[in-house]
Amino acid sequence: MSDTMRLALPMSLPGLEPGHVWLAGAGPGDPGLLTLLAAKSLSEADVIVHDALVNEDCLRLARTGAVLEYAGKRGGKPSAKQRDISLRLVELAKAGHRVLRLKGGDPFVFGRGGEEALTLIEYGVPFRIVPGITAGIGGLAYAGIPVTHREVNHAVTFLTGHDSSGVVPDRIDWEAIGRGSPVIVMYMAMKHMGQITANLISAGRRPDEAVAFVCNAATPQQSVLETTLGRAEADMIAAGIEPPAIVVIGDVVRLRPSLDWLGALSGRKLMPDPFAVDRKDTA
């Protein structure tokens, strides 16, 4: 695979060298969303230290003989400590291996890539950052939900539903976000959905505001639950959905009947104007 890829590439790309670590994003799921540089690093790495959310189809691009090391961290399940993962990257690089640290989405978007890079700097290990398509953008696109639309929003807020201790981050200014951000995209928010929705409603968000849960985004197992802010927790529980999921709040969710391109491939008829009813009501 790697020889074919090298022949097909129309440009020169850097190579993963012995003793170096690349911190790369694998995108939200679909292996077709890997960047060229991430795919090339998979074909060159001696050791690939990967997260739980990396699609197995992406790992099949690894070169013959590459060692795959699982370092996934899933909420509520036994997992390696972050410091141990970072030090393992140092150990592998110091042994002369070409090391790929592969993360779901983007390594710098709630992916702890910054923490790992700082450890590499601490121990003098050369590294490269290979950005990936974050699930908060690519995953929503696979659900037919844009993070921005001119008739809806000119700003978007990305936030995480829990901090390193597993609770809702106390440094989030819910009142400011509720008042100032027309669209909110949340990672790792399902565990505390009741508290989060209560915070936002207390901050002035409408209980009937559109919400969508996009589970297993950009994979064959993708599912989407559309609900409202006031019913989000109850509907999530009733539907029995489980992480991983991206949660989006805002009127961009209302574009899904028009932009659900995956649904259209299965026969769904898309609406040409999702806001036609609003225009009729204000005419």
Side-chain angles (χ1 to χ4, degrees):
M1 190 286 300
S2 59
D3 290 340
T4 302
M5 184 165 57
R6 287 193 187 96
L7 290 173
L9 291 178
M11 74 291 287
S12 176
L13 294 176
L16 177 51
E17 299 178 9
H20 289 230
V21 177
W22 284 15
L23 303 170
D30 187 341
L33 299 182
L34 283 167
T35 65
L36 289 174
L37 200 53
K40 186 172 185 288
S41 65
L42 276 161
S43 76
E44 295 178 347
D46 299 315
V47 184
I48 300 168
V49 182
H50 64 93
D51 280 351
L53 297 182
V54 174
N55 191 324
E56 290 186 3
D57 287 339
C58 296
L59 297 176
R60 291 192 179 99
L61 297 175
R63 70 172 183 82
T64 301
V67 175
L68 304 181
E69 289 195 8
Y70 176 79
K73 299 177 72 64
R74 298 295 296 272
K77 298 182 180 180
S79 58
K81 295 181 180 179
Q82 182 58 56
R83 182 63 175 173
D84 292 338
I85 295 172
S86 299
L87 291 175
R88 178 59 175 161
L89 299 178
V90 172
E91 179 185 16
L92 291 168
K94 292 292 188 181
H97 296 299
R98 295 173 295 179
V99 184
L100 174 61
R101 175 66 168 118
L102 192 63
K103 296 171 172 288
D106 180 275
F108 274 8
V109 181
F110 304 120
R112 305 189 182 184
E115 297 173 48
E116 293 171 356
L118 290 173
T119 300
L120 297 175
I121 294 170
E122 178 184 353
Y123 286 88
V125 176
F127 68 95
R128 172 184 287 268
I129 304 300
V130 182
I133 299 174
T134 183
I137 296 175
L140 293 185
Y142 267 53
I145 301 172
V147 291
T148 65
H149 185 75
R150 284 197 302 172
E151 294 190 46
V152 175
N153 65 312
H154 294 87
V156 59
T157 295
F158 294 89
L159 61 86
T160 177
H162 66 76
D163 60 19
S164 59
S165 63
V167 300
V168 177
D170 58 11
R171 285 186 283 183
I172 291 180
D173 189 336
W174 293 103
E175 183 176 350
I177 290 174
R179 182 178 61 252
S181 184
V183 172
I184 304 169
V185 178
M186 299 188 293
Y187 297 68
M188 300 169 284
M190 292 180 63
K191 181 178 179 181
H192 303 296
M193 185 53 55
Q195 181 180 345
I196 290 171
T197 55
N199 288 345
L200 289 171
I201 291 172
S202 295
R205 304 297 285 228
R206 305 187 328 269
D208 65 348
E209 187 171 14
V211 173
F213 294 78
V214 183
C215 305
N216 297 302
T219 72
Q221 293 75 41
Q222 176 177 295
S223 63
V224 182
L225 172 65
E226 295 180 55
T227 179
T228 62
L229 192 60
R231 291 197 53 81
E233 182 186 29
D235 287 350
M236 176 192 76
I237 295 171
I241 60 175
E242 296 181 352
I246 289 290
V247 185
V248 56
I249 301 169
D251 281 347
V252 288
V253 175
R254 297 172 56 203
L255 285 150
R256 187 164 187 263
S258 296
L259 300 179
D260 181 16
W261 58 275
L262 275 176
L265 294 177
S266 301
R268 180 177 187 177
K269 185 176 181 180
L270 301 182
M271 299 169 52
D273 187 353
F275 300 117
V277 174
D278 294 346
R279 293 190 182 92
K280 183 178 180 181
D281 290 343
T282 58

